[in-house]
Amino acid sequence: MTTSKANDHTTTRRPLPCGIYAPTMTFFDPETEELDIPIIKKHAERLARDGLAGLVTMGSNGEAIHCTREEKIAVTRATREALDAAGFTSTPIVVGATEGSVKGTIELCKESEAAGGDYVLLLPPSYYRAQFDEEAIEGYFTAVADGSPLPLILYNYPGAVAGIDMDSDVLTRLAQHPNIIGTKFTCGNTGKLTRVALATNAKTPASEGSGYMAFGGMCDFTVQTLVSGGSGIIAGGANVMPKVCVKVWNLYAEGKTEEAIALQKVLSRGDWYLTKAAIAGTKQAIQSYFGYGGYPRRPLKRLDKARVAAIASGISEVMEVEKSL
């Protein structure tokens, strides 16, 4: 635990270590589509046992857009309970807490803290896209950071927010706020990540730096994130092959660059099948290899048997490595 001060009150929260994080899937009963809390807990425990540095609930992979606020809180609470019961009391939880308004987002940040969250991950608002210039976006994040009891990690994912792509100047300016402590770069722009990591003196495996966290947003550029001065990876693929993701990270951090690059190529080949198949495919990959997973909530489609088999085959190379670790 570390002691930090957020918005005039001092709290003790779990630190964010460098390494691999998974934006956890939210699992549903295949018939009723209600939350499957036992499977949510089982999955969280498996990921922690397989070496992940932390978990992210209610991110894009967690189908936050399909869940009520009460369900979001229930998933975060269940994840914290599972980690604590399994002995992973120091594993931090980042909570996706984006809502359309400043007021709603701050409320969800407060509820996320009460449910066991340590940090929040926030997209820029985008419903009224034409009105959101840089000034409006910076104003939103600044206002939320002023009111949130949990530190903010900004989420740069243009595909999810009508193309809003925060540049390195915006991200660096926002990083000056004491309650904004990181960015997730799902844009895949390693040049941008490099500039922000440099400007903020981001934490790396070799240096504590300022503590700012520069996260790559996909596991298929793990080595590239490390080369760019990054702090970690938040990657959907870590739901399926967490041990391989961790191995790539650790090899590079230990100075075994050539081994890391070779394994990165295997990881990138396999991860592409999951990227193409998105949430439904990732859940079915978990089903194929671990015996649970199920389906996304409608209106996302369920995959046919041929597609499921093709995904299982496509990731077989990386899953052989996963099983060997």
Side-chain angles (χ1 to χ4, degrees), residues 35-43:
L35 294 178
D36 191 336
I37 294 295
I39 295 298
I40 288 169
K41 288 186 171 184
K42 175 181 178 178
H43 186 64

Side-chain angles (χ1 to χ4, degrees), residues 259-276:
E259 292 178 57
I261 291 171
L263 188 55
Q264 175 70 76
K265 292 174 181 178
V266 174
L267 177 57
S268 296
R269 278 196 297 267
D271 189 55
W272 177 234
Y273 289 91
L274 302 179
T275 300
K276 287 192 296 181

Side-chain angles (χ1 to χ4, degrees), residues 25-203:
M25 317 303 293
T26 300
F27 299 99
F28 306 107
D29 182 281
E31 301 299 327
T32 66
E33 295 191 7
E34 296 296 328
L35 294 178
D36 191 336
I37 294 295
I39 295 298
I40 288 169
K41 288 186 171 184
K42 175 181 178 178
H43 186 64
E45 181 180 341
R46 178 175 74 82
L47 297 182
R49 289 196 186 283
D50 287 348
L52 296 192
L55 301 181
V56 180
T57 60
M58 290 292 110
S60 303
N61 276 273
E63 296 181 66
I65 195 67
H66 291 164
C67 294
T68 66
R69 183 182 288 192
E70 292 74 20
E71 287 175 325
K72 293 174 184 178
I73 296 307
V75 169
T76 298
R77 183 177 294 112
T79 301
R80 183 73 267 158
E81 290 172 353
L83 293 173
D84 290 350
F88 297 100
T89 56
S90 64
T91 300
I93 295 177
V94 180
V95 185
T98 303
E99 289 212 1
S101 68
V102 168
K103 182 177 183 294
T105 302
I106 291 173
E107 288 176 357
L108 186 51
C109 291
K110 291 177 179 178
E111 293 184 38
S112 297
E113 181 187 41
D118 300 291
Y119 305 84
V120 288
L121 179 68
L122 299 181
L123 289 160
S126 62
Y127 188 86
Y128 300 107
R129 174 66 181 92
Q131 280 71 53
F132 280 102
D133 56 13
E134 284 188 2
E135 182 181 7
I137 290 167
E138 290 185 49
Y140 166 80
F141 282 122
T142 299
V144 173
D146 286 344
S148 172
L150 296 180
L152 277 57
I153 299 169
L154 310 186
Y155 189 2
N156 195 53
Y157 183 12
V161 287
I164 293 174
D165 188 4
M166 296 180 284
D167 67 24
S168 53
D169 295 335
V170 169
L171 294 170
T172 300
R173 284 196 298 270
L174 285 168
Q176 296 172 22
H177 194 293
N179 208 30
I180 296 177
I181 56 85
T183 300
K184 179 187 179 189
F185 295 85
T186 304
C187 55
N189 187 330
T190 53
K192 184 188 300 183
L193 190 156
T194 303
R195 291 189 294 274
V196 174
L198 180 63
T200 59
N201 188 24
K203 186 175 182 178

Side-chain angles (χ1 to χ4, degrees), residues 20 204-206 221-231 233 244-264:
I20 305 296
T204 70
F221 65 100
T222 299
V223 168
Q224 295 91 324
T225 295
L226 281 156
V227 171
S228 297
S231 315
I233 303 289
V244 175
C245 293
V246 171
K247 187 68 171 178
V248 172
W249 182 274
N250 288 345
L251 284 171
Y252 190 92
E254 293 164 3
K256 300 173 182 176
T257 307
E258 294 305 316
E259 292 178 57
I261 291 171
L263 188 55
Q264 175 70 76

Side-chain angles (χ1 to χ4, degrees), residues 305-324:
K305 291 182 179 179
R307 185 79 185 281
V308 172
I311 295 166
S313 175
I315 65 173
S316 61
E317 178 190 23
V318 70
M319 292 309 293
E320 283 299 312
V321 180
E322 180 76 14
K323 288 185 289 184
S324 74

